[in-house]
Amino acid sequence: MIIRLNKNIDESKANALGKELQSFVLKKNGSFILVTPNKLKEVEEKHKSFVAESFVFNDDIQLASKKFIPHTREINISDEIVIGGKTNNTVVITGPCSVESEEQIEQASQLCKKLGVKILRAGAFKPRTSHYTFQGMGVDGLKLLDKMRHKYGLQIISEVRDSTHVQDIIQYADIIQIGAKSMYDHGILNACAKTKKPILLKRGFGTTLQEFVQAAEFILSGGNENVILCERGIRTFETKTRFTLDLCGVAWLKEHTNLPVILDPSHAIGYAYGVPDLTRACMAMGCDGLLIETHPNPAVAKSDASQQLNFEQFSNLYESLKPIAKAIGKNII
Ligand code: PEP
Ligand code: MN
């Protein structure tokens, strides 16, 4: 249950009630709210005079539920980059899978600048399937991203591989990406709950929608309201494509949760040939953002070489999204 306390309830009283009801205590719009376990279905008589309103849930999707906030929450990535809320924005994010060199990331930044893409993506800490492949440039990679952030006025998204990197990512990036393989990492989830930076939480490829949104609840209940979900493909019986993009799941997330949803067709299909069509399908679904991997020379990419678009392919794709966005009343930002 979520209980919004009356405005006159002070912090010590809110904390005492929170303790009694085994709740997380958060402050929202000037009042304290308690997030109790969902098995609590009624406000007890003795507490009624403290309560302004309450919301009952069937399961532990609570703060993320549309029953609590009936619309997609607004997330400000910067003053000019806002998604969700009253906006009809779809933010396009592009860049290579990994930062590999200054030259490579500068080329990617120049592509963003040329097209008007405002958010550059690249991983510096790569959670690879094999330990014998490129693991990322680490903090040196983040410093290169930071250099591009200032030189080209771009926002940066980069992924955290374990909780010891969260502070580095906070320092050098504007959005913290939690990768599919880390979706369940409570060290990372709890560290991300303690910052106000937007978090892009990717769906684990073997997880249900319920488990995915419950992972988001760890961040939300810890005090960070800025969570964005990312569908990036789940594992099914099909092996011809790398994963299966769960667009039905996206429809469910949009219907039942208040969190913006970004779609990542690149990791879903795993092959560049399908990325443009899949991205257009994602755009047509009316998502809050798209994340597409691009590389100046995909053939030599140190990670995810098969799925990255070259700059010409990406430029053509970007152009083709505009009429689709217009047809469904979305603004590409
Ligand atoms: C990535 O974004 O480069 C990545 C590793 O994604 P995922 O966690 O979805 O596999
Ligand atoms: Mn990748």
Side-chain angles (χ1 to χ4, degrees), residues 1-7 9-11 14-15 17-19 21 23-36 50-55 57 62-64 68-69 73 217 220-221 223 225:
M1 185 181 252
I2 295 180
I3 298 172
R4 190 162 67 77
L5 299 175
N6 286 325
K7 276 221 167 16
I9 305 286
D10 65 16
E11 190 167 355
N15 284 335
L17 284 167
K19 204 165 170 206
L21 297 173
S23 310
F24 287 90
V25 182
L26 302 168
K27 198 162 189 186
K28 200 169 160 54
N29 304 329
S31 6
F32 288 97
I33 61 167
L34 309 181
V35 190
T36 81
F50 308 126
V51 174
E53 59 179 336
S54 60
F55 305 82
F57 301 91
Q62 302 202 66
L63 291 163
F68 175 50
I69 301 175
R73 62 179 66 204
E217 291 277 340
L220 298 167
S221 60
E225 296 186 273

Side-chain angles (χ1 to χ4, degrees), residues 151-212:
K151 187 162 174 188
Y152 293 96
L154 296 165
Q155 307 293 309
I156 303 292
I157 171 166
S158 196
E159 70 187 286
V160 55
R161 191 176 56 208
D162 67 63
S163 56
T164 63
H165 306 139
V166 175
Q167 285 313 317
D168 292 322
I169 311 277
I170 289 175
Q171 185 177 345
Y172 296 115
D174 304 285
I175 306 173
I176 306 169
Q177 177 175 320
I178 302 179
K181 297 187 188 84
S182 308
M183 188 208 86
Y184 272 131
D185 185 320
H186 289 127
I188 293 178
L189 295 172
N190 291 331
C192 288
K194 293 195 179 83
T195 169
K196 298 286 175 208
K197 282 240 165 155
I199 309 294
L200 184 88
L201 178 67
K202 285 191 157 198
R203 180 179 181 184
F205 47 75
T207 64
T208 63
L209 294 164
Q210 176 77 27
E211 290 161 339
F212 181 28

